[in-house]
Amino acid sequence: MVQAYFKIHSVEKLNDTTYSFVIACPALAKESWCGRFVNIQCGEKTLRRPISISEIDSENGTITIVFEVRGEGTAWLAKQKAGDELNILGPLGNGFFPEKDKPAIFIGGGIGCPPMLGAAQDYGKNAEAILGFRSKEQLILLDKFEQCCQSVSVTTNDGSFGTKGFVTDILKEKLQEKPDCIVYACGPMPMLKGVAAMCAEHDVQCYVSLEQRMGCGIGACLVCACKTHEKDGEHMRHVCKNGPVFDAREVDFNG
Amino acid sequence: MADLRVNIAGVEFKNPVITASGTFGFGQEYARIYDISRLGGISCKGTTLHERPGNPSPRIAETPSGILNSVGLQNPGVDAFIRDDLPFLKKQNTVIIANIAGSQIEDYVETVRRLQDADVDMIELNISCPNVKEGGVSFGTSAKSVENITKQVKAVAKQPLMIKLTPNVTDITETAAAAEAGGADAVSLINTLTGMKIDINTRRPILKNNTGGMSGAAVFPVALRMVWQVANRVKIPVVGMGGITKWQDAVEMLLAGATAVQIGTANFTDAYTPLKVIAGINDYLDEHGEKSVLDIVGKVQVW
């Protein structure tokens, strides 16, 4: 874990509100794996912004982050250019550990897609992906997923691209085809709740990456709490330190 | 190199910079970023008699130049603190301050009693947490109850006792004087100011607890004023905190009468803040020909 300034190598705008930065950060890249995140200082804001790592290039010492402009912090971030330096704390969190001997389905919802890209790339060429977006305009990273996955299904809420509906509509079919698979998912809470419920119903192992308003990002301030039900009882875990990836069976989606 | 050592109630600090309770856990996380033995001290996460799960999320909201939090004293309980966290802390070669909270006087007394033989250097009594119903803040708002709880805890405390004061009162010098009258060895201030933030689209407060404690740069002028007032009222040492983000803020606190400072929210913005503040104070003292940090404590020349 380090906190230091790292240079933005390149910037790409993926849609109206979503940006992809490649950051030159050998010290971070060597400790990074899929599903971990970084906490980035955004101008004068008191709190850093936690952003998941999308891709890792350990050979060239770079990581890619993809973020959506949601407020003042990310708006500041979106104005940064190649060559600018960012104050980054990371890499943080536990991340995904895809089990490569089982069929795997990677599910991303909207801005939840970027961390799943790294996970799918890590898993290898037999990965299957289901990506969900509100509409065609929000579509991101499809080409990248197509490069690394055996199959990619896309759903949009309004039917403007792919299948009209939700990721769970596709997941239902996939779980019937591959009852021995493992599911990895990141996206909005209602989507994760639906995915987790469907996996539980089919007795399929599922790991979800959660989002929560965060303070320190390293487990010291205890603000990003997530209630879990584990074998030894109920716990208040923390998304930054115990997560962001959790066993979906243990997460209290209503807590 | 100026002499940065300060002594508070018989406890020697290598420098006057302490990390504030609730922002620094029990030290282990920040120890992965830098050598925490460079700190003057660590005020540990608020600890209660029994384990507390804390409030539901979201527990944090960002506000102009600051934050609101409503963690609600999530902690493993004092026995787990002594068993699991203290051994690591004691190896860090810095002053360890146990921060104690509770919901009734008997809890405070029993928690401090269990720390009698524990290897902590000092006790900071949180009678000012705004996030827990009857969570200390009720003890901290009237002079009479501050004096009473201080007296009762002091009777069992083996380590020097510092009372952490809430700013959510009409006159903080009254509660500070009450702590002194009750036998406190020091006071620390300010805890957070109760605040609120509403999402105008959902029309709901961001915090699930509706309200929370405000901290960060925005509260600094209020904190500084209160530290100055209290330092002029009591004879016991004052530890100043509230919105310190840079060494200049810490120097202001010292000039206002604080013998040491605590740094909290700024750790989230820049983990190295406490180290930068220590270095900045030292350079300031050198530049102004001051041999010891004590030479500037309370040296504001008021109009």
Side-chain angles (χ1 to χ4, degrees):
Chain A
M1 189 194 300
V2 292
Q3 182 202 290
Y5 283 92
F6 297 104
K7 201 171 270 185
I8 302 171
H9 178 265
S10 59
V11 170
E12 189 186 349
K13 194 171 178 182
L14 302 185
N15 65 30
D16 268 1
T17 55
T18 310
Y19 295 78
S20 171
F21 286 3
V22 175
I23 298 163
C25 52
L28 284 178
K30 69 171 189 224
E31 288 179 45
S32 295
W33 58 83
C34 59
R36 302 195 81 190
F37 68 97
V38 290
N39 218 1
I40 304 178
Q41 217 176 58
C42 292
E44 298 296 308
K45 303 305 286 183
T46 300
L47 295 178
R48 290 166 178 269
R49 297 299 188 262
I51 296 172
S52 59
I53 297 166
S54 174
E55 291 177 271
I56 301 148
D57 183 341
S58 41
E59 218 164 277
N60 292 309
T62 65
I63 62 165
T64 304
I65 57 162
V66 175
F67 64 94
E68 186 177 39
V69 175
R70 284 198 185 165
E72 292 168 5
T74 41
W76 179 91
L77 197 56
K79 289 195 188 112
Q80 307 311 300
K81 297 180 178 65
D84 290 346
E85 289 197 326
L86 294 175
N87 186 308
I88 304 179
L89 171 64
L92 308 171
N94 60 355
F96 287 107
F97 297 94
E99 287 180 39
K100 295 175 187 177
D101 54 346
K102 284 189 174 180
I105 301 173
F106 297 89
I107 304 178
I111 199 62
C113 291
M116 303 321 300
L117 176 62
Q121 285 174 341
D122 181 40
Y123 178 78
K125 62 183 181 202
N126 292 323
E128 284 201 54
I130 310 173
L131 310 178
F133 302 93
R134 286 198 302 278
S135 72
K136 191 180 163 186
E137 285 70 43
Q138 277 85 42
L139 200 71
I140 50 166
L141 302 173
L142 180 57
D143 53 335
K144 293 251 186 187
F145 274 96
E146 281 175 338
Q147 277 168 27
C148 69
C149 294
Q150 184 189 38
S151 82
V152 183
S153 311
V154 177
T155 67
T156 50
N157 299 2
D158 62 1
S160 56
F161 192 95
T163 307
K164 184 176 178 357
F166 297 97
V167 292
T168 38
D169 301 333
I170 306 283
L171 179 63
K172 199 171 191 176
E173 297 164 22
K174 299 277 181 195
L175 292 181
Q176 276 155 8
E177 283 168 32
K178 295 180 176 174
D180 60 337
C181 71
I182 297 190
V183 170
Y184 303 92
C186 183
M189 223 33 182
M191 181 199 100
L192 294 180
K193 194 176 173 180
V195 167
M198 191 170 281
C199 289
E201 199 183 305
H202 288 78
D203 204 20
V204 162
Q205 178 78 51
C206 174
Y207 291 95
V208 291
S209 179
L210 303 181
E211 190 176 48
Q212 188 49 265
R213 287 177 185 267
M214 232 172 240
C216 67
I218 63 174
C221 76
L222 312 183
V223 304
C224 54
C226 158
K227 194 191 275 184
T228 59
H229 300 280
E230 299 170 34
K231 278 178 196 139
D232 61 346
E234 198 175 283
H235 293 278
M236 274 294 199
R237 298 298 186 192
H238 296 95
V239 171
C240 72
K241 190 178 185 178
N242 308 115
V245 178
F246 290 89
D247 182 334
R249 286 171 302 191
E250 295 179 347
V251 175
D252 185 332
F253 288 97
N254 305 312
Chain B
M1 184 78 195
D3 185 353
L4 293 180
R5 289 173 301 167
V6 297
N7 188 300
I8 298 171
V11 179
E12 180 147 314
F13 294 72
K14 66 180 80 166
N15 64 62
V17 178
I18 302 161
T19 51
S21 178
T23 64
F24 210 76
F26 297 111
Q28 301 216 19
E29 291 79 17
Y30 283 98
R32 295 178 60 198
I33 303 175
Y34 64 84
D35 175 10
I36 61 174
S37 73
R38 293 167 68 186
L39 298 169
I42 296 171
S43 180
C44 297
K45 171 68 191 167
T47 302
T48 49
L49 182 56
H50 303 294
E51 182 182 3
R52 282 184 57 92
N55 292 325
S57 289
R59 295 174 170 184
I60 191 166
E62 195 166 35
T63 53
S65 297
I67 57 170
L68 297 169
N69 90 81
S70 58
V71 171
L73 289 172
Q74 176 173 4
N75 80 94
V78 68
D79 294 339
F81 163 69
I82 293 167
R83 187 186 64 232
D84 303 334
D85 301 298
L86 212 43
F88 167 82
L89 286 164
K90 277 322 292 175
K91 282 187 266 171
Q92 304 307 314
N93 185 30
T94 185
V95 170
I96 302 302
I97 304 170
N99 181 290
I100 302 306
S103 51
Q104 45 189 355
I105 291 185
E106 296 72 32
D107 292 352
Y108 280 95
V109 170
E110 177 58 18
T111 309
V112 171
R113 198 189 59 74
R114 291 192 194 185
L115 284 166
Q116 281 176 340
D117 301 320
D119 210 354
V120 299
D121 301 302
M122 197 173 212
I123 288 167
E124 181 175 52
L125 212 61
N126 176 4
I127 52 166
S128 45
C129 179
N131 292 323
V132 179
K133 286 184 188 101
E134 300 159 45
V137 77
S138 54
F139 299 113
T141 49
S142 97
K144 206 172 173 186
S145 65
V146 170
E147 184 174 345
N148 181 32
I149 195 167
T150 304
K151 207 176 275 176
Q152 294 202 39
V153 172
K154 180 67 187 167
V156 295
K158 284 213 175 149
Q159 298 88 348
L161 179 64
M162 178 158 75
I163 307 293
K164 186 168 176 177
L165 302 173
T166 175
N168 303 309
V169 290
T170 312
D171 181 358
I172 198 164
T173 67
E174 289 295 313
T175 45
E180 186 176 41
D185 299 294
V187 286
S188 57
L189 62 142
I190 58 173
N191 205 323
T192 53
L193 290 139
T194 307
M196 190 174 189
K197 182 169 176 63
I198 296 169
D199 181 329
I200 58 169
N201 295 312
T202 62
R203 300 189 177 185
R204 280 188 180 276
I206 302 278
L207 299 175
K208 203 67 176 273
N209 193 51
N210 296 319
T211 61
M214 180 180 161
S215 61
V219 311
F220 178 72
V222 176
L224 185 67
R225 183 264 296 178
M226 289 184 167
V227 164
W228 175 66
Q229 286 179 320
V230 167
N232 281 300
R233 175 73 184 263
V234 300
K235 291 189 175 65
I236 52 177
V238 176
V239 174
M241 79 188 95
I244 296 174
T245 61
K246 52 188 190 296
W247 68 263
Q248 290 93 335
D249 300 336
V251 169
E252 285 192 58
M253 278 288 188
L254 296 166
L255 289 169
T259 303
V261 298
Q262 293 192 11
I263 293 177
T265 304
N267 291 310
F268 306 160
T269 317
D270 177 357
Y272 291 105
T273 304
L275 302 188
K276 289 177 180 173
V277 170
I278 295 165
I281 293 171
N282 179 64
D283 292 349
Y284 172 87
L285 295 172
D286 284 350
E287 221 165 89
H288 289 79
E290 305 284 4
K291 288 194 174 62
S292 160
V293 66
L294 296 170
D295 295 337
I296 66 164
V297 170
K299 292 296 166 64
V300 59
Q301 294 175 17
V302 290
W303 299 104

